[in-house]
Amino acid sequence: MAVIALLARASPLAKPSLTLPIRAEIGTRQLHLQSYIVTPKELSNALTKNVPTKNASGRVVPLCAAWLMPNDPQGRTGRQLFQEKRIPSAKFFDVDAVKDHGSPYPHMLPSPENFARAMQKIGIKKDDEIVVYDTQELGLFSAPRVAWTLRVFGHPAVHILNNFRLWVQQGYPTEDGKMEASEEESSDYPVPSMEASKVVHFPEMKEIVKDQIKGNSQGIQIVDARSGPRWTGAEPEPRPGLPNGHMPGSINVPFSELLDPNTKTLLPGQKLRQLFESKGLDPEKAIVNSCGTGVTAAVVDAAMSEAGFGNPENRKLYDGSWT
């Protein structure tokens, strides 16, 4: 089984410090939403408080993070799904565009400068309160990765909608069609600092895996969010040329098990905690979440936040993951 060669190559990293709690205010402004995971009703109520002017500050902004696997049977893109149905006033974050284009691996974090340029082009402002959401079809899939990315780059107020499927089912408004040029806007989003301690890169991951092989894990748990058959190697990876299998010592927690089978929302916190414990995870130990390319690993991170499982300072995400 290929192991070390599969770990995504990237630059070294600093020491742990993971997901930040939602700040109660930005400067002197009280936030509209207090929780990381928010309901459709909470988002709808918050949107009614937006000032209806183009250059308003302190807005609540829905951010569509729709993304599909490269082997989608219909060859669809996230932008297509955004144009077919979205929350009114929503903006679109292109997971395949906002990344490190110099890396041969998909979805590696962009530089702070490129992240700022992307936010400027999307029209996101530093004092916007962002609510990231997914497709109606998938429920929760790529939105947690985008929310995690925003937090890595220090955006003050970030939330995840739980979820767009419920938003539609509960009768909240939607719109469709391409965005008109008059609706698009740019911003002066500043170049942020990157909270590198939230991320594990290849050199650090290589040492963690070596320790796992030697039976000396130093209390670090590796979680793999891919499906069971992909983790065992029974099914091929969706990207051509990748070996099958998993990192030694990793614990398989398929992200799909964290979601309600009907609504695709995150399970209640208590059920999530019980699921993590049933997998043998210890909340007192450090956790590195991984998956195929670093997208659904963030679903696990969001679920751990919702469950209050472990210390957020001891959770990291392996950028690039199995690729």
Side-chain angles (χ1 to χ4, degrees):
M1 180 191 306
V3 179
I4 302 298
L6 294 184
L7 306 176
R9 287 77 174 165
S11 57
L13 170 75
K15 295 180 182 177
S17 165
L18 241 249
T19 321
L20 297 176
I22 295 296
R23 296 166 174 83
E25 56 183 37
I26 302 177
T28 58
R29 178 174 69 84
Q30 190 72 23
L31 295 182
H32 298 293
L33 298 161
Q34 301 303 313
S35 302
Y36 186 39
I37 309 297
V38 301
T39 66
K41 182 178 180 180
E42 289 171 329
L43 174 56
S44 178
N45 290 342
L47 287 172
T48 64
K49 297 179 175 66
N50 277 348
V51 178
T53 59
K54 186 173 182 179
N55 296 315
S57 61
R59 308 170 299 176
V60 174
V61 178
L63 183 63
C64 178
W67 179 75
L68 298 166
M69 294 288 283
N71 60 349
D72 178 64
Q74 301 173 49
R76 299 168 299 170
T77 67
R79 188 173 292 277
Q80 284 177 300
L81 297 181
F82 171 72
Q83 292 172 350
E84 288 175 6
K85 185 177 290 185
R86 61 178 176 268
I87 297 173
S89 79
K91 298 179 182 297
F92 179 70
F93 186 105
D94 191 338
V95 173
D96 284 327
V98 188
K99 64 179 184 179
D100 180 2
H101 289 275
S103 171
Y105 309 104
H107 309 141
M108 301 296 284
L109 284 167
S111 67
E113 293 77 14
N114 286 339
F115 174 81
R117 279 193 284 271
M119 295 300 98
Q120 292 165 7
K121 185 176 180 181
I122 294 170
I124 298 293
K125 301 173 184 176
K126 188 73 173 182
D127 66 351
D128 284 339
E129 200 168 341
I130 307 301
V131 181
V132 193
Y133 73 94
D134 245 298
T135 65
Q136 179 182 353
E137 175 183 337
L138 296 176
L140 274 179
F141 183 56
S142 49
R145 167 69 189 204
V146 172
W148 177 82
T149 299
L150 287 162
R151 291 178 124 188
V152 165
F153 288 107
H155 193 86
V158 183
H159 314 270
I160 298 171
L161 177 64
N162 194 27
N163 59 21
F164 187 47
R165 178 179 292 194
L166 280 189
W167 176 277
V168 174
Q169 290 179 352
Q170 293 174 3
Y172 292 103
T174 62
E175 63 182 16
D176 58 23
K178 291 184 177 181
M179 299 286 285
E180 299 295 332
S182 60
E183 296 179 272
E184 297 178 352
E185 57 180 304
S186 60
S187 74
D188 59 354
Y189 201 100
V191 176
S193 297
M194 179 180 174
E195 297 185 31
S197 58
K198 297 180 184 295
V199 193
V200 172
H201 291 303
F202 176 67
E204 183 179 353
M205 197 71 217
K206 182 178 178 181
E207 295 305 313
I208 293 172
V209 171
K210 283 182 177 179
D211 287 339
Q212 294 281 348
I213 293 172
K214 295 175 184 176
N216 179 25
S217 65
Q218 298 183 12
I220 299 175
Q221 303 165 107
I222 304 171
V223 173
D224 190 325
R226 293 176 300 157
S227 68
R230 285 176 65 190
W231 184 78
T232 61
E235 284 185 2
E237 289 296 298
R239 292 170 180 80
L242 289 182
N244 301 345
H246 59 268
M247 289 179 276
S250 64
I251 299 170
N252 188 213
V253 183
F255 82 93
S256 59
E257 294 184 9
L258 308 175
L259 307 180
D260 181 278
N262 297 314
T263 63
K264 301 300 181 184
T265 55
L266 278 177
L267 294 172
Q270 184 59 34
K271 286 189 176 180
L272 290 170
R273 172 173 281 276
Q274 291 170 354
L275 188 148
F276 291 135
E277 291 173 348
S278 74
K279 299 289 185 178
L281 287 168
D282 184 345
E284 300 301 318
K285 295 181 179 180
I287 295 170
V288 175
N289 289 313
S290 71
C291 57
T293 65
V295 174
T296 57
V299 178
V300 179
D301 182 76
M304 288 179 171
S305 293
E306 180 72 357
F309 190 84
N311 183 352
E313 300 297 317
N314 290 330
R315 286 203 309 270
K316 298 186 181 185
L317 190 148
Y318 178 28
D319 201 24
S321 291
W322 186 245
T323 57

